[in-house]
Amino acid sequence: MAKIGVLFGMETTFPGALVERINAMEVPGVTAEFVQTGAARMAEPCGYDVVVDRISHDIPFYRTWLKNAALTGTRVINNPFWWSADDKFFNYALAQKLGVAVPPTVALPHKEHPAGTTDRSMRNLHYPLDWKGIFDYVGFPAFLKPFDGGGWRDVHKVNSPEEFFAAYDTTRDLCMTLQRGVNFNEYFRCYVIGQEKVHIMPYDPRLPFHERYVKHPPPYDQALLDRVERDCLTLCRALGYDLNTVEFAVEDGVPYAIDFMNPAPDADLHSVGAANFEWVVNAVADLAVRKAVEPAAPLEYRWASLLRGG
């Protein structure tokens, strides 16, 4: 019997719907349930053939539990080794290498020294920074945001050097990026499942959270939608994510990828809406079942292989 587990936190709609959908498929030899675990013993199987991870980014114990599970043969959606190593600034740089449009972006040193460090720890850094060069490269308006954050936490829109410094002074010891703002006409948030399926959702980040998924979008140019889908697949295949959302802000017909490290993306019925919810539940269920029934690749005890995922 192949067992699929869903690991989650405060979510109330998606985990249950996913388990119900997988079990309703009645695939011989496949069952799904909520993960149940306690203390993990090293190098021992966790009892699940596939785990859909929705919470380990917030719970360090779950992250190390998932790595141990992957080591013993469990297929984890998403790869916990790569997700632990990834960050948004790296993603922006990779996207540019891949030919996906990204606004000019820089990574900035911490405003305050990280815990346990002093100015002597920072002797490799230029001081003062070339702020004029940074502002000339990025331009205004711009967004100051954590290099590995999410949920719009510690994100600041700044329209001038003065506004930038006022915001930067509040960022504590976070590592931040500064990215040129896109004066967008259209905005899309896209589910990408299994590095194969793309669901493009019109989205407006300027609206209150519960209203951001546009219910009655206007018609869009098909060439634009085709490029968005192509860029979604390019990014997720390069990064190895099987469950992700990619966000594009479109200016003058160019879709700029501005957020694509969302391996536990919002999938709540009440925020994404019934149609989008139905799509993502079905797509993730199909992916989890496929991973449960397809032959597993031989396990290689090499870090690079684990990063590539399976």
Side-chain angles (χ1 to χ4, degrees), residues 174-224:
L174 298 174
C175 178
M176 304 295 287
T177 63
L178 185 66
Q179 183 175 83
R180 179 183 297 171
V182 178
N183 183 22
F184 61 87
N185 303 308
E186 299 93 9
Y187 195 105
F188 301 110
R189 196 165 203 255
C190 311
Y191 283 125
V192 188
I193 309 300
Q195 303 173 36
E196 295 176 352
K197 298 178 180 179
V198 178
H199 182 61
I200 300 174
M201 300 175 287
Y203 187 82
D204 191 341
R206 298 166 297 195
L207 296 177
F209 185 78
H210 66 285
E211 298 177 0
R212 290 180 180 176
Y213 293 89
V214 179
K215 295 180 174 59
H216 303 290
Y220 298 107
D221 179 69
Q222 188 59 47
L224 172 62

Side-chain angles (χ1 to χ4, degrees), residues 57 63 78-92 94-95 145-153 177 189-190 192 232 235-236 239-241 243-248 257-266:
H57 56 292
R63 180 55 56 92
N78 283 291
N79 182 335
F81 293 95
W82 175 244
W83 194 1
S84 297
D86 198 13
D87 69 72
K88 293 190 175 185
F89 183 70
F90 170 80
N91 287 358
Y92 297 138
L94 177 64
K145 51 188 177 180
F147 88 119
D148 63 350
W152 290 85
R153 292 185 296 271
T177 63
R189 196 165 203 255
C190 311
V192 188
C232 280
L235 291 169
C236 291
L239 292 166
Y241 286 129
L243 171 56
N244 197 5
T245 52
V246 182
E247 296 186 18
F248 295 90
I258 61 170
D259 190 3
F260 42 100
M261 191 182 116
N262 298 294
D266 176 27

Side-chain angles (χ1 to χ4, degrees), residues 16-310:
L18 180 60
V19 167
E20 183 178 334
R21 170 60 182 156
I22 291 170
N23 289 331
M25 294 168 69
E26 297 184 345
V27 178
V30 176
T31 186
E33 66 181 39
F34 297 152
V35 166
Q36 297 293 312
T37 188
R41 297 186 180 185
M42 60 183 184
E44 289 192 6
C46 69
Y48 295 95
D49 298 273
V50 175
V51 171
V52 180
D53 171 26
R54 302 287 297 165
I55 189 59
S56 74
H57 56 292
D58 284 337
I59 311 292
F61 167 73
Y62 286 154
R63 180 55 56 92
T64 199
W65 181 85
L66 286 168
K67 290 177 181 178
N68 190 65
L71 183 68
T72 56
T74 300
R75 300 182 186 193
V76 182
I77 305 170
N78 283 291
N79 182 335
F81 293 95
W82 175 244
W83 194 1
S84 297
D86 198 13
D87 69 72
K88 293 190 175 185
F89 183 70
F90 170 80
N91 287 358
Y92 297 138
L94 177 64
Q96 182 168 307
K97 288 281 191 181
L98 294 171
V100 175
V102 179
T105 309
V106 297
L108 299 171
H110 314 267
K111 173 61 181 178
E112 298 177 4
H113 299 321
T117 68
T118 70
D119 56 343
R120 290 177 59 81
S121 307
M122 308 300 167
R123 287 179 288 178
N124 295 105
L125 285 176
H126 293 295
Y127 185 83
L129 292 178
D130 178 12
W131 290 113
K132 182 180 185 304
I134 292 170
F135 298 149
D136 287 346
Y137 171 68
V138 174
F140 290 103
F143 285 89
L144 180 66
K145 51 188 177 180
F147 88 119
D148 63 350
W152 290 85
R153 292 185 296 271
D154 294 291
V155 175
H156 308 268
K157 183 178 182 180
V158 293
N159 297 289
S160 66
E162 294 74 20
E163 290 187 13
F164 165 80
F165 286 117
Y168 187 49
D169 285 347
T170 71
T171 59
R172 310 176 302 283
D173 63 351
L174 298 174
C175 178
M176 304 295 287
T177 63
L178 185 66
Q179 183 175 83
R180 179 183 297 171
V182 178
N183 183 22
F184 61 87
N185 303 308
E186 299 93 9
Y187 195 105
F188 301 110
R189 196 165 203 255
C190 311
Y191 283 125
V192 188
I193 309 300
Q195 303 173 36
E196 295 176 352
K197 298 178 180 179
V198 178
H199 182 61
I200 300 174
M201 300 175 287
Y203 187 82
D204 191 341
R206 298 166 297 195
L207 296 177
F209 185 78
H210 66 285
E211 298 177 0
R212 290 180 180 176
Y213 293 89
V214 179
K215 295 180 174 59
H216 303 290
Y220 298 107
D221 179 69
Q222 188 59 47
L224 172 62
L225 298 178
D226 290 344
R227 178 172 174 179
V228 165
E229 179 172 346
R230 183 170 64 250
D231 286 352
C232 280
L233 294 174
T234 296
L235 291 169
C236 291
R237 287 170 180 171
L239 292 166
Y241 286 129
D242 277 321
L243 171 56
N244 197 5
T245 52
V246 182
E247 296 186 18
F248 295 90
V250 184
E251 182 176 354
D252 297 330
V254 177
Y256 290 91
I258 61 170
D259 190 3
F260 42 100
M261 191 182 116
N262 298 294
D266 176 27
D268 182 72
L269 170 63
H270 304 296
S271 61
V272 305
N276 296 327
F277 181 77
E278 185 72 11
W279 188 93
V280 72
V281 168
N282 288 335
V284 175
D286 289 344
L287 172 65
V289 168
R290 176 165 60 82
K291 285 188 174 291
V293 301
E294 68 185 10
L299 186 63
E300 299 178 75
Y301 294 99
R302 293 188 293 113
W303 180 251
S305 174
L306 291 171
L307 280 178
R308 283 198 300 269

